[in-house]
Amino acid sequence: MLEDVIQSSEWLKARINSHPSIAIILGSGLGSLAKEIEVKVQFDYWDIPHFPISTVEGHAGRLLVGTLGGKDIIAMQGRFHYYEGYSMQQVTYPIRVFRELGIKTLFVSNAAGGTNPDFHIGDIMMITDHINMLPENPLRGKNVDYGPRFLDMSHAYSPALMAKARQIAHDEGIALREGVYLATQGPTYETPAEYHMFRLLGADAVGMSTVPEIIVARHCGIECFGISVITNVVQQSAQVSHQKVEAAAQAAQTRLTQLFKQLIQHL
Ligand code: HPA
């Protein structure tokens, strides 16, 4: 696997003439952030040696290299989900390639269901911590000596980046929720009983991604920052139309883009 990672990164290095230290994973429905990137070069996943290929509709499956907020960045448009049938090694493969490319900070976004009764559709939530309810940990198996066998997860999400995000949100008047993201394997959404259980377990939002990438990024010594866009809220789901959800997601994108861009500017 590590040989493959090195081949992928060497292939990319030969085609990129910048040295990005920031990577972004764009979650479902978060396309407008990509529009803000000044793309210098882009790669379809299937062109990159050994890279897994995205299967979900609405996920482009492209690696964008360019600038955002005046910084060199690399962005994944489309990620790999465990529910698609990928192994955990495949789900987290790009993160190890990022490490080889010299990435030091990872920004992730995702769509999630709100289990916190105070949340509303279209809210953006800074992920302060997570609960891994996926059936497998991506570090299972022989330890890759990128990091320790038993990884400390007490600061999975960078306290410094969270503090900066709070300040930016305050200064810009962006309503920023905070909470715990719980990852389930999906692909089914939760039954009302399951949402209730996850709330009791301490989750504010539930989704089907992000946690494996964060675990591997931390193992690689990469600082992490994550935002969930709340696309549905358990208690309010009965009264909400698809159009309202779409409109809320659209409105959320602008705030998310602004926050990411400013955070990156301040790095
Ligand atoms: N559950 C799991 N994943 C999700 C949800 C949800 O309610 N909404 C968006 N992604």
Side-chain angles (χ1 to χ4, degrees):
M1 193 267 293
L2 293 188
E3 295 261 308
D4 289 354
V5 166
I6 288 164
Q7 282 177 17
S8 297
S9 64
E10 290 302 320
W11 188 92
L12 285 164
K13 277 182 201 166
R15 287 160 181 80
I16 300 174
N17 49 21
S18 60
H19 297 282
S21 63
I22 300 162
I24 307 170
I25 303 177
L26 303 169
S28 5
L30 300 162
S32 81
L33 180 60
K35 289 189 209 120
E36 292 283 315
I37 300 168
E38 285 183 41
V39 179
K40 299 231 172 73
V41 56
Q42 63 182 51
F43 309 97
D44 286 329
Y45 290 160
W46 57 66
D47 288 331
I48 307 167
H50 312 297
F51 228 72
I53 292 161
S54 201
T55 67
V56 182
E57 272 181 60
H59 288 255
R62 265 194 304 266
L63 206 59
L64 312 176
V65 184
T67 59
L68 181 70
K71 300 275 165 67
D72 288 333
I73 60 112
I74 190 159
M76 283 179 74
Q77 208 175 15
R79 58 149 64 87
F80 307 107
H81 300 89
Y82 189 72
Y83 65 73
E84 293 175 83
Y86 296 111
S87 69
M88 277 298 181
Q89 289 220 338
Q90 288 174 306
V91 169
T92 58
Y93 186 86
I95 308 296
R96 292 186 164 129
V97 174
F98 289 163
R99 176 192 178 272
E100 290 297 326
L101 293 176
I103 296 299
K104 301 282 182 270
T105 313
L106 176 69
F107 289 79
V108 299
S109 59
N110 59 49
T115 50
N116 183 326
D118 294 335
F119 286 2
H120 297 284
I121 290 167
D123 280 352
I124 61 171
M125 183 193 90
M126 178 163 78
I127 305 173
T128 55
D129 203 351
H130 73 220
I131 298 173
N132 186 15
M133 294 287 280
L134 287 160
E136 195 186 323
N137 188 299
L139 299 182
R140 176 173 180 266
K142 189 176 183 305
N143 187 47
V144 178
D145 62 9
Y146 286 174
R149 167 77 297 183
F150 301 106
L151 179 66
D152 174 56
M153 289 296 284
S154 53
H155 294 301
Y157 301 84
S158 160
L161 286 173
M162 286 196 277
K164 194 78 213 168
R166 283 185 196 106
Q167 191 194 320
I168 291 167
H170 177 264
D171 294 347
E172 300 291 320
I174 302 169
L176 183 63
R177 304 287 198 164
E178 299 190 13
V180 173
Y181 176 88
L182 183 147
T184 67
Q185 70 168 307
T188 47
Y189 290 117
E190 289 65 37
T191 62
E194 287 165 343
Y195 281 121
H196 183 64
M197 173 182 74
F198 290 152
R199 180 68 191 146
L200 292 177
L201 289 178
D204 295 288
V206 190
M208 305 173 196
S209 67
T210 301
V211 165
E213 293 105 310
I214 297 294
I215 292 173
V216 170
R218 295 304 298 138
H219 194 242
C220 292
I222 295 170
E223 292 285 298
C224 298
F225 181 81
I227 291 281
S228 289
V229 173
I230 306 299
T231 56
N232 51 294
V233 178
V234 180
Q235 294 81 358
Q236 298 158 21
S237 55
Q239 301 100 306
V240 169
S241 71
H242 182 62
Q243 284 91 332
K244 281 186 192 165
V245 173
E246 294 257 284
Q250 194 56 41
Q253 280 203 77
T254 313
R255 282 171 277 134
L256 176 85
T257 301
Q258 201 183 350
L259 185 64
F260 270 20
K261 205 171 157 181
Q262 295 239 7
L263 259 177
I264 287 169
Q265 243 157 15
H266 280 95
L267 272 184

